[in-house]
Amino acid sequence: EPEVTQTPSHQVTQMGQEVILRCVPISNHLYFYWYRQILGQKVEFLVSFYNNEISEKSEIFDDQFSVERPDGSNFTLKIRSTKLEDSAMYFCASSGDMGQGYTFGSGTRLTVV
Amino acid sequence: AQKITQTQPGMFVQEKEAVTLDCTYDTSDQSYGLFWYKQPSSGEMIFLIYQGSYDEQNATEGRYSLNFQKARKSANLVISASQLGDSAMYFCAMRVTTGRRALTFGSGTRLQVQP
């Protein structure tokens, strides 16, 4: 069964450093997403990406965040200058044209120290 | 804006018993989809079941069924014959099918299955 692959599974970074979280969505999916889940809390939408541009973003997705699809297979989330409160599980997801088929990756646990 | 409410922070069920996890939603859109995801302690999000707002029958997937009551705006998940491996967090989520494609999640219910 096709899956969404995320790397790394766990990343520890110093406050103020830049991090890049990587995702390989399902190849024939058209929409890509990043969500985050602070420990013990609900999953929150960050951004969606379609046709090589951001289609929607939440208020969480401020100027320190950016997304990119650099090579047609990878989909990345960059956090420019990490803060302690960025510590969370970050999930990548992708979906096809129809609304049902969301597939989540297994997540990257980001710890900012 | 969409909103999902899960009022049960935690639930216990005996192995082999059925359990219902509650979910209510709020949206002004007529066309939407409802999802349930399971999140075990390992952290991944596992899709369980989907219900479209125009689906006339309740969705079923193996031991999972969705009790969809449109007038009450509820989409409860029923797990039959609970197994120890069902112990996990369960999230209800929704998206509208026009415009915004992002999922809106509830706060989750932690289910513990007891032997």
Side-chain angles (χ1 to χ4, degrees):
Chain A
E1 189 172 326
E3 60 180 30
V4 174
T5 305
Q6 287 188 246
T7 54
S9 56
H10 191 182
Q11 180 152 1
V12 181
T13 190
Q14 294 272 347
M15 189 170 56
Q17 294 295 305
E18 175 183 286
V19 294
I20 298 176
L21 310 183
R22 303 182 191 279
C23 169
V24 179
I26 293 174
S27 59
N28 62 350
H29 279 181
L30 303 175
Y31 296 85
F32 315 117
Y33 312 85
W34 285 100
Y35 291 80
R36 81 170 184 192
Q37 183 184 30
I38 294 170
L39 186 64
Q41 298 187 23
K42 66 177 171 182
V43 180
E44 301 173 292
F45 168 70
L46 291 178
V47 65
S48 61
F49 194 84
Y50 171 73
N51 201 24
N52 285 319
E53 60 183 22
I54 291 173
S55 54
E56 186 183 1
K57 60 183 181 179
S58 73
E59 59 275 8
I60 302 169
F61 193 86
D62 61 23
D63 290 345
Q64 70 161 340
F65 291 96
S66 63
V67 289
E68 197 177 32
R69 189 158 160 81
D71 57 14
S73 61
N74 289 285
F75 178 51
T76 62
L77 174 69
K78 181 191 289 186
I79 309 175
R80 261 180 269 284
S81 177
T82 50
K83 306 170 193 168
L84 295 176
E85 54 264 37
D86 293 328
S87 295
M89 179 78 97
Y90 288 81
F91 290 102
C92 175
S94 67
S95 70
D97 195 33
M98 302 303 291
Q100 304 184 30
Y102 290 88
T103 303
F104 280 80
S106 53
T108 293
R109 184 169 297 284
L110 177 66
T111 303
V112 182
V113 298
Chain B
Q2 297 82 44
K3 185 177 179 182
I4 295 282
T5 303
Q6 294 181 254
T7 57
Q8 306 155 314
M11 291 280 286
F12 288 90
V13 65
Q14 290 291 123
E15 197 176 5
K16 300 179 186 175
E17 297 288 312
V19 62
T20 298
L21 306 185
D22 294 342
C23 172
T24 58
Y25 60 91
D26 189 23
T27 180
S28 56
D29 286 82
Q30 297 301 308
S31 179
Y32 50 88
L34 295 155
F35 302 75
W36 277 92
Y37 285 87
K38 173 184 178 181
Q39 187 178 43
S41 57
S42 51
E44 70 267 34
M45 296 289 286
I46 302 168
F47 167 74
L48 295 178
I49 197 165
Y50 168 83
Q51 178 85 40
S53 59
Y54 292 117
D55 294 342
E56 293 186 352
Q57 293 194 327
N58 287 342
T60 60
E61 289 285 348
R63 293 187 299 112
Y64 304 108
S65 61
L66 200 152
N67 184 0
F68 181 47
Q69 297 189 43
K70 196 169 182 177
R72 294 184 177 183
K73 293 191 173 180
S74 74
N76 299 338
L77 177 70
V78 181
I79 305 174
S80 63
S82 298
Q83 302 172 355
L84 295 178
D86 294 334
S87 294
M89 278 291 283
Y90 289 81
F91 291 97
C92 181
M94 178 176 71
R95 65 147 293 192
V96 295
T97 49
T98 53
R100 192 172 192 263
R101 298 187 68 88
L103 292 172
T104 300
F105 282 83
S107 55
T109 295
R110 181 168 298 281
L111 177 67
Q112 293 190 51
V113 181
Q114 297 176 319

